[in-house]
Amino acid sequence: MKKELLRFAIAGTVGFVVDAGVLYLVKDSLGYYLGRALSFFLAVFCTWLLNRQFTFHGKASGVSPVLEFIRYFWLMLGGGAINYLTYAALIHWFSYMQKYPVWAVAAGSVASMTINFLSLKYVLYSKQKKHI
């Protein structure tokens, strides 16, 4: 479990870079909230690719990649809600966070990390891959 958690943290760090990077690219045109919705979706896609091949490489979802992504996305919405609410609250209440939204993105990511890891480990990737 330690290896999976470390790999999950690495994948999450890459997802964080995608999330924050996309937000910085689009915040002036889409705003802080719609821009974050787009950056979150792209980060989820990125972390799905990494988690299925790197973090949980010995586990299987038992479904096609398309259905796996749909399930992954729905599971990440639970953690994503915690993530986004943390982010939105910090942006709303602290002008410093508006100037440096990367800190609000980071706080949201940390807040949702545990729920995301557990839902992937025990719900989506709970089966061992069969080796032929």
Side-chain angles (χ1 to χ4, degrees):
M1 180 141 129
K2 287 182 182 180
K3 277 187 176 180
E4 283 179 341
L5 190 55
L6 177 61
R7 289 176 178 174
F8 181 78
I10 292 168
T13 300
V14 173
F16 168 77
V17 170
V18 169
D19 196 352
V22 170
L23 176 62
Y24 269 83
L25 289 173
V26 301
K27 68 180 174 56
D28 291 335
S29 59
L30 296 179
Y32 288 105
Y33 303 104
L34 185 57
R36 183 66 201 285
L38 175 63
S39 69
F40 174 77
F41 178 81
L42 294 174
V44 167
F45 184 75
C46 174
T47 60
W48 169 67
L49 292 172
L50 290 171
N51 281 320
R52 74 188 307 260
Q53 296 298 322
F54 178 63
T55 305
F56 300 105
H57 67 280
K59 303 280 180 99
S61 64
V63 296
S64 72
V66 171
L67 188 53
E68 181 182 296
F69 175 72
I70 292 167
R71 288 181 180 175
Y72 183 93
F73 183 79
W74 280 106
L75 287 171
M76 294 302 98
L77 285 180
I82 293 166
N83 185 321
Y84 189 81
L85 289 172
T86 301
Y87 164 83
L90 291 172
I91 289 292
H92 180 75
W93 287 321
F94 299 100
S95 60
Y96 176 82
M97 295 292 182
Q98 291 178 10
K99 189 172 181 181
Y100 302 102
V102 66
W103 295 112
V105 174
S109 295
V110 169
S112 65
M113 183 177 176
T114 301
I115 189 77
N116 288 342
F117 178 76
L118 294 174
S119 66
L120 291 178
K121 180 168 181 62
Y122 294 109
V123 177
L124 187 60
Y125 298 113
S126 61
K127 300 174 180 89
Q128 290 293 328
K129 282 188 179 176
K130 295 178 183 177
H131 298 287
I132 300 174

